[in-house]
Structures are given as structure tokens and as C-alpha cells.
């Protein structure tokens, strides 16, 4: 059996920091605020060379206090002292010797346990002189800095010699008690009754219970044996909505609660039966379902409800938990212990389902029957084709469907297949993970040649002036504009000067409308004189042509 050493001291002297440093992991919650640790926390110290031993962290002692929570912390420290074979008395070297330290030292002498005084917050060998006044307590002393690690290796070696000097044996058991058995995490809102349920199952006041919400601040492991099996309850801090979390300490507590619940083998979600299921309760259910953690819903405080309301209460929770129909619901009372007797066997049954494994042949027969009973729907004129089904793993049971296209399996049909699997495989309460994968990878699109870059837009050609056919002599002549020289400015009122020469005259445009009669000719200028001459020629008869 491992030796047990309890850490005792007044608040905010660094007991939890030293506890984490000796364990080499952050098991206890630490903060600058005094009074963070309330329940006692156990951990096993395993030196690299030496015998392991159990270390118990306790809350800060305030002797002769009238505050209920401080008196409850003192009771927890007294129970830790009763089960320990030695004591580490931690003091603050910076603040010096205080009357509370002297009072705690007198109480420890009366307990009859060997005590090793640890002066914390000594950051170097040159500062050990500040702890000289603690020699007045008459105890063997060691100076350390739990935050920076100064003197901690020497403290571990000194503890081994300390145990040998006082004849305290520490034998390594066959296995770590916390590593064996079922690990059950208690999760829920503040003041739902998580600690009360653990105390009722254990039959002792192991955890601090108070009417004040938020009594538990850290995750506390409680290991016990029942019926020849080992169980470990993990009591967690109450989880409130993010908008209602005010300080950083509560935020750390909530994160540790969620982390402990996700790592547990089975979780128990405790809800207050005096209230309807809240939005926060549904959020916690969604978290556990997403993490695929096996869990039970425990409706607590049923002893405060009238008997004629139990039927309505069951209907309410059956309706609210329809989204997780496989989760079992128990109705409990931490005061009368009603419904608590079947909690541990139910947790064992759920955990056994998580290790269930089915053969591939059986799974494919179940798949074919389910598809024949209800075919997958058409999606854009396409229907999903199921090729085969296999189980990929356990804890939780994981199943993989191989189909032609996973996008054709909609969520409603996925739920149908999951229900059929639960029905024929025998998974009534355990979580299940179902995946849909394509049997063959989609062919990649053929590589296309790089597109040619679009040519630069050509400049629009200059509009050409319509002209009549030119003779050989006139082709050589070009206007100044065609030769690139600037055109002469127009004269008069802006009209262009009529071209000189017969070959330079422009071809008249074809008139629109009615065409003139034969024999009528118009002057290229189209003026009035040309029209009169054409009329005169028409009236002169045949001789007019000459």
C-alpha cells in the first residue's frame, strides 16, 4: 500500500502549486484568489528513482471561522489528516510567520503525525535567510519555490528519507487504483446536486455540499470499491452559460469540467427536477452527443415534487430528449437515495455496449433488409447505391457505409439507418458513430490546355470616303489627307470647296424612293439648275437628246 502525505496550510500559500509540481502535471486548479481549493484532491507522486507515494491537496485552513464554507474546508482537511501517515506543512516565506501558522503548527503537533515544514516562495538559495524565523516552530524545514521549481528535486529526496526515518512503508500495488475500474464524470449546472449524489452513493460526506451555487470549483476524483469492482467518480464544477460567467476562475472551472466529462468513460448529466429542462441543459447534452461520450440523464430532487406530477415530468423529459432517444433517464433523489441503486449497474451496461462488435456479414444483411424496407430517396434524379457496410472500431462503435456518392445520403435517411443498426445490432444506450464514404474516388477532370491569351483589340480603321472609279492618270494623284498632310481648312461658311476636274468628282449617292424616269439626268451637284435642264430636255421631244 502506498504511503499518504497530506498538504496542510493556511489559504494562498501555494499548496496546490506545490501539489502540481510534485505530480508533474496540472491536476489541481490554481489561482491568485485565496480559497480556490475546497475539496481534498488525491494524486500519486512517482519519482524517477524511488518509491511512489500518495499526495493529498487540501483547502486553506482558517481556524475558528464562522463561515460555513470555511468550516467545511476545515473538516475536509481534518479527514485528509486522519487518513495520512505524514504531513507537509506549507507556509509563505515572504509574508513571514503569522498567528495562523503558529495555530496550525500546534494543531499538527497534537495529531501525532510526523510533520515536515516547507517554506514556499523562496526563489533562490540567497533568499533562504527570509525563512529563518520559521525555525521557531521547532519543525524540520525545507525551502522551495513551487512556481519556479527551486528546491523541488531536493524536497522529493528528502521526503523519501523522511518516510524511512519514521518507518512509513510505501509499497507499489499491482496497479494504480485510479487507473482501474469505471470512471464516471458528474456534469450539470450549478446547484443541481452532483456532489450530493456522490455523497449519497458513498454513504459519507466526502465532498463539500452547500445551498450556495458554485460550491465545487475544481474537478475532484473520488475512488471507491463496490461489489468487488473499482469506480472513480469525477465531481466537476457547475457549468453556466458563457454570458453569465463573470470571472476568469469560473471560466477555468468550466473548461476543466468539460474536459473531464469528455475524457470520462461514462458521464452522468444531473438536471434539477424542480425546473424545466433549460437551454444550458440542452447545450450540455449536445456537447456529450458530439463528443460521443456515453451518458445518463439523472433527474434529481424528485423527492420535492408531488407524486401526481411524476407522470407529467416523465412526459416532459421524454419530449425534450427526443433528439437523443437512446440515452437512458433515471429519476433520483440524493436525500432519500431513490433511483441511485441502479445507477452504477446502468453505467456498467452502457460501457459494455460500447465494446460491442458485429461481423461484416451480419452487418451487410442488416443493410440489405433496411434498404429493401425503405429505399433511399432520389436526389436530382440520382439514387444512392450502397455497396457494403463494415465496423471500423469500438469505444464508441463506429460503422462505415460505402456508397457511390455520400452526398446522395441525406440526414433523414442517415437517421433511419442508424435506428435500424441500433435495433438489429443491439446498441440500445451506447453512442454510435456512422460515416458514409465513396467506394471509388471520383475521376479527376482531364487536364485542359491553357487558353490562349486574347489578342489586343485592333484599332478601328478610319472611315473611307466613297469615290468613283479613277482613271490611270488620276490614280497617281492623292489628296493631301491621304498623303498624311493636314487637310486645308474649309472656306466660306464651312462648306467644302467643290472638287476641280472631272475625274475628282464624287459619285452621286443613289436616291431613295422613286427612281427618276429614263432620259432625265441630274447634275452631280443635285442643284435646281440641273433639275430645270432635265425638265426642259423632257419637253423638247425626240430632238432634245441631241
Amino acid at each position: 500500500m502506498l504511503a499518504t502525505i497530506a498538504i496542510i496550510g493556511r489559504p494562498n500559500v501555494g499548496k496546490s502549486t506545490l501539489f502540481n509540481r510534485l505530480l508533474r502535471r496540472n491536476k489541481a486548479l490554481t489561482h491568485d484568489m485565496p480559497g480556490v481549493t475546497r475539496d481534498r484532491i488525491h494524486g500519486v507522486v512517482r519519482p524517477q528513482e524511488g518509491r511512489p507515494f500518495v499526495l493529498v491537496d487540501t483547502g486553506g485552513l482558517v481556524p475558528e471561522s464562522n463561515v460555513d464554507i470555511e468550516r467545511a474546508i476545515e473538516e475536509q482537511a481534518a479527514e485528509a489528516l486522519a487518513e495520512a501517515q505524514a504531513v507537509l506543512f506549507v507556509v509563505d516565506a515572504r509574508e513571514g510567520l503569522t498567528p495562523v501558522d503558529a495555530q496550525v503548527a500546534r494543531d499538527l503537533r497534537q495529531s501525532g503525525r510526523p510533520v515536515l515544514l516547507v517554506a514556499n516562495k523562496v526563489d533562490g538559495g540567497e533568499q533562504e535567510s527570509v525563512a529563518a524565523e520559521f525555525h521557531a516552530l521547532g519543525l524540520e524545514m525545507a525551502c522551495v519555490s513551487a512556481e519556479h521549481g527551486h528546491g523541488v528535486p531536493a524536497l522529493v529526496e528528502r521526503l523519501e528519507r523522511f518516510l524511512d526515518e519514521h518507518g512509513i512503508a510505501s509499497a507499489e500495488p499491482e496497479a494504480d487504483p485510479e487507473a482501474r475500474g469505471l470512471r464516471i464524470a458528474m456534469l450539470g449546472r450549478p446547484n443541481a446536486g452532483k456532489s450530493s449524489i456522490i455523497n449519497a452513493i458513498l454513504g459519507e460526506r466526502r465532498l463539500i455540499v452547500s445551498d450556495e451555487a458554485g460550491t465545487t470549483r475544481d474537478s475532484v476524483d473520488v475512488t471507491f470499491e463496490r461489489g468487488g469492482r473499482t469506480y472513480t467518480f469525477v465531481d466537476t464544477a457547475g457549468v453556466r452559460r458563457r454570458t453569465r460567467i463573470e470571472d476568469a476562475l469560473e471560466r477555468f472551472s468550466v473548461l476543466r469540467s468539460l474536459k473531464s466529462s469528455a475524457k470520462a468513460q461514462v458521464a452522468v448529466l444531473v438536471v434539477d427536477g424542480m425546473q424545466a429542462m433549460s437551454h444550458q441543459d440542452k447545450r450540455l447534452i449536445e456537447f456529450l452527443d458530439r463528443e460521443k461520450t456515453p451518458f445518463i440523464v439523472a433527474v434529481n430532487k424528485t423527492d420535492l415534487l408531488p407524486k401526481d406530477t411524476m407522470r407529467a415530468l416523465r412526459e416532459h423529459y421524454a419530449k425534450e430528449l427526443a433528439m437523443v432517444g437512446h440515452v437512458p433517464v433515471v429519476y433520483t433523489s440524493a436525500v432519500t437515495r431513490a433511483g441511485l441503486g441502479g445507477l452504477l449497474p446502468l453505467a456498467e451496461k452502457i460501457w459494455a455496449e460500447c465494446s460491442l462488435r458485429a461481423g461484416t456479414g451480419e452487418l451487410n444483411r442488416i443493410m440489405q433488409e433496411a434498404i429493401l424496407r425503405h429505399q433511399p430517396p432520389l436526389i436530382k434524379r440520382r439514387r444512392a447505391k450502397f455497396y457494403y457496410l463494415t465496423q471500423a472500431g469500438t469505444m464508441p462503435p463506429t460503422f462505415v457505409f460505402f456508397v457511390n456518392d455520400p452526398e446522395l445520403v441525406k440526414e433523414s435517411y442517415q437517421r433511419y439507418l442508424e435506428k435500424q443498426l441500433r435495433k438489429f445490432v443491439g446498441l440500445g444506450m451506447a453512442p454510435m458513430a456512422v460515416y458514409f464514404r465513396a467506394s471509388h474516388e471520383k475521376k479527376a477532370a482531364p487536364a485542359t490546355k491553357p487558353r490562349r491569351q486574347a489578342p489586343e483589340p485592333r484599332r478601328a480603321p478610319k472611315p473611307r470616303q466613297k469615290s468613283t472609279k479613277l482613271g490611270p492618270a488620276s490614280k497617281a494623284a492623292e489628296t493631301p489627307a491621304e498623303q498624311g498632310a493636314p487637310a486645308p481648312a474649309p472656306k466660306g461658311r464651312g462648306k467644302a470647296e467643290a472638287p476641280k476636274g472631272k475625274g475628282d468628282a464624287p459619285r452621286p449617292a443613289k436616291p431613295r424612293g422613286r427612281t427618276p424616269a429614263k432620259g432625265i439626268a441630274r447634275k452631280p451637284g443635285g442643284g435646281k439648275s440641273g433639275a430645270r435642264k432635265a425638265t426642259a430636255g423632257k419637253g423638247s421631244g425626240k430632238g432634245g437628246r441631241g
Side-chain angles (χ1 to χ4, degrees):
M1 184 177 180
L2 294 177
T4 303
I5 301 176
I7 300 178
I8 304 295
R10 60 185 179 86
N12 209 22
V13 295
K15 300 183 297 298
S16 298
T17 306
L18 180 62
F19 178 78
N20 292 338
R21 177 68 69 172
L22 292 174
L23 263 65
R24 291 179 291 181
R25 59 191 179 100
N26 294 328
K27 186 173 184 179
L29 184 63
T30 58
H31 198 270
D32 295 338
M33 181 189 303
V36 173
T37 304
R38 293 178 175 179
D39 297 292
R40 59 186 189 270
I41 304 174
H42 293 72
V44 179
V45 179
R46 301 185 182 278
Q48 296 180 356
E49 297 181 359
R51 296 170 298 174
F53 55 89
V54 178
L55 205 61
V56 185
D57 186 23
T58 61
L61 295 179
V62 181
E64 300 178 0
S65 175
N66 296 325
V67 182
D68 293 340
I69 192 67
E70 292 181 351
R71 286 188 295 180
I73 292 174
E74 187 174 357
E75 293 176 1
Q76 289 285 318
E79 293 180 4
L81 184 61
E83 68 182 14
Q85 288 85 34
V87 178
L88 281 182
F89 178 32
V90 183
V91 295
D92 189 348
R94 295 178 183 175
E95 295 185 4
L97 183 61
T98 63
V100 177
D101 294 330
Q103 177 66 32
V104 174
R106 287 193 296 269
D107 295 340
L108 292 177
R109 287 196 191 93
Q110 296 176 1
S111 66
R113 301 289 191 277
V115 181
L116 176 62
L117 179 64
V118 178
N120 192 21
K121 304 182 182 180
V122 179
D123 297 334
E126 67 280 359
Q127 298 183 7
E128 293 183 1
S129 58
V130 299
E133 58 179 326
F134 288 99
H135 288 288
L137 298 177
L139 299 173
E140 185 179 354
M141 186 175 64
C143 297
V144 300
S145 175
E147 184 174 1
H148 301 96
H150 169 70
V152 174
L155 176 63
V156 174
E157 296 178 0
R158 194 164 186 177
L159 281 174
E160 295 179 4
R161 296 195 304 269
F162 186 77
L163 295 176
D164 293 337
E165 291 172 0
H166 293 83
I168 301 174
S170 181
E172 175 72 16
E174 296 180 359
D176 187 1
E178 295 184 3
R180 294 184 292 109
L182 192 63
R183 190 174 181 86
I184 305 173
M186 309 294 289
L187 185 66
R189 291 186 298 151
N191 208 19
K194 302 180 292 297
S195 302
S196 300
I197 289 178
I198 296 177
N199 290 341
I201 293 176
L202 295 178
E204 60 175 306
R205 192 181 175 87
R206 173 62 178 81
L207 301 171
I208 297 177
V209 177
S210 175
D211 296 335
E212 180 185 355
T215 302
T216 304
R217 290 181 174 177
D218 200 358
S219 298
V220 183
D221 295 355
V222 181
T223 304
F224 65 100
E225 292 186 2
R226 182 68 53 86
R229 291 187 57 85
T230 303
Y231 300 92
T232 300
F233 271 120
V234 183
D235 188 23
T236 62
V239 181
R240 295 197 299 173
R241 298 179 63 177
R242 292 183 181 179
T243 55
R244 297 185 179 181
I245 297 177
E246 299 176 354
D247 55 357
L249 177 60
E250 185 177 359
R251 187 177 295 107
F252 294 148
S253 300
V254 169
L255 292 176
R256 291 176 68 91
S257 299
L258 297 177
K259 185 178 179 180
S260 300
S261 301
K263 290 185 176 181
Q265 294 172 327
V266 179
V268 178
L269 178 64
V270 183
V271 297
D272 191 349
M274 297 292 295
Q275 305 174 5
M277 179 168 284
S278 63
H279 178 71
Q280 182 65 10
D281 293 329
K282 296 179 180 179
R283 290 287 299 274
L284 294 176
I285 291 174
E286 182 182 358
F287 167 76
L288 293 173
D289 186 52
R290 184 175 64 251
E291 295 292 332
K292 300 302 179 183
T293 301
F295 69 99
I296 305 168
V297 176
V299 184
N300 197 24
K301 303 182 183 180
T302 55
D303 58 303
L304 302 177
L305 297 173
K307 293 183 178 180
D308 55 351
T309 60
M310 288 300 298
R311 182 177 180 181
L313 182 68
R314 294 176 186 273
E315 293 178 354
H316 169 73
Y317 280 97
K319 180 180 178 181
E320 294 294 336
L321 296 175
M323 56 181 176
V324 283
H326 64 280
V327 176
V329 183
V330 295
Y331 298 87
T332 63
S333 171
V335 177
T336 63
R337 299 184 181 180
L340 297 180
L343 189 62
L344 294 179
L346 184 60
E348 290 278 2
K349 186 177 180 180
I350 296 176
W351 183 244
E353 283 188 3
C354 290
S355 59
L356 184 64
R357 180 174 286 277
T360 304
E362 180 186 358
L363 291 176
N364 282 275
R365 284 192 296 271
I366 295 172
M367 181 188 70
Q368 293 298 333
E369 292 178 4
I371 294 174
L372 290 176
R373 190 177 292 108
H374 178 41
Q375 291 188 354
L378 286 172
I379 306 296
K380 295 181 180 180
R381 298 183 180 182
R382 296 182 62 197
R383 193 187 303 275
K385 292 182 180 180
F386 289 81
Y387 297 111
Y388 65 97
L389 169 64
T390 184
Q391 184 174 358
T394 58
M395 307 292 180
T398 305
F399 300 92
V400 181
F401 287 88
F402 287 89
V403 298
N404 57 341
D405 189 356
E407 296 180 357
L408 299 177
V409 186
K410 295 304 179 183
E411 185 178 357
S412 58
Y413 200 73
Q414 293 180 11
R415 291 195 298 267
Y416 165 74
L417 293 175
E418 182 178 346
K419 290 180 180 179
Q420 295 299 312
L421 277 176
R422 288 187 178 278
K423 179 180 178 181
F424 292 102
V425 175
L427 293 173
M429 296 175 291
M432 178 190 300
V434 180
Y435 298 96
F436 297 86
R437 294 181 181 176
S439 59
H440 302 287
E441 296 183 359
K442 294 183 179 181
K443 294 182 179 180
T448 58
K449 295 182 179 181
R451 295 181 178 180
R452 296 180 179 178
Q453 295 183 355
E456 296 182 358
R458 297 180 179 180
R459 296 181 179 178
K462 295 181 179 180
R464 296 181 179 179
Q465 188 177 6
K466 293 183 179 180
S467 59
T468 57
K469 293 183 179 180
L470 303 178
S474 60
K475 284 184 180 179
E478 295 180 354
T479 61
E482 293 175 346
Q483 296 177 356
K491 298 180 180 180
R493 296 183 179 180
K495 295 182 179 180
E497 187 178 1
K500 297 179 181 180
K502 185 176 179 181
D504 296 336
R507 178 180 292 182
K510 187 176 181 180
R512 295 183 180 180
R514 295 179 62 183
T515 56
K518 293 182 179 180
I520 300 177
R522 289 187 177 181
K523 194 176 181 181
K528 293 182 180 180
S529 59
R532 282 197 297 268
K533 289 181 180 180
T535 306
K538 181 180 180 182
S540 61
K542 295 181 180 179
R545 272 185 163 182

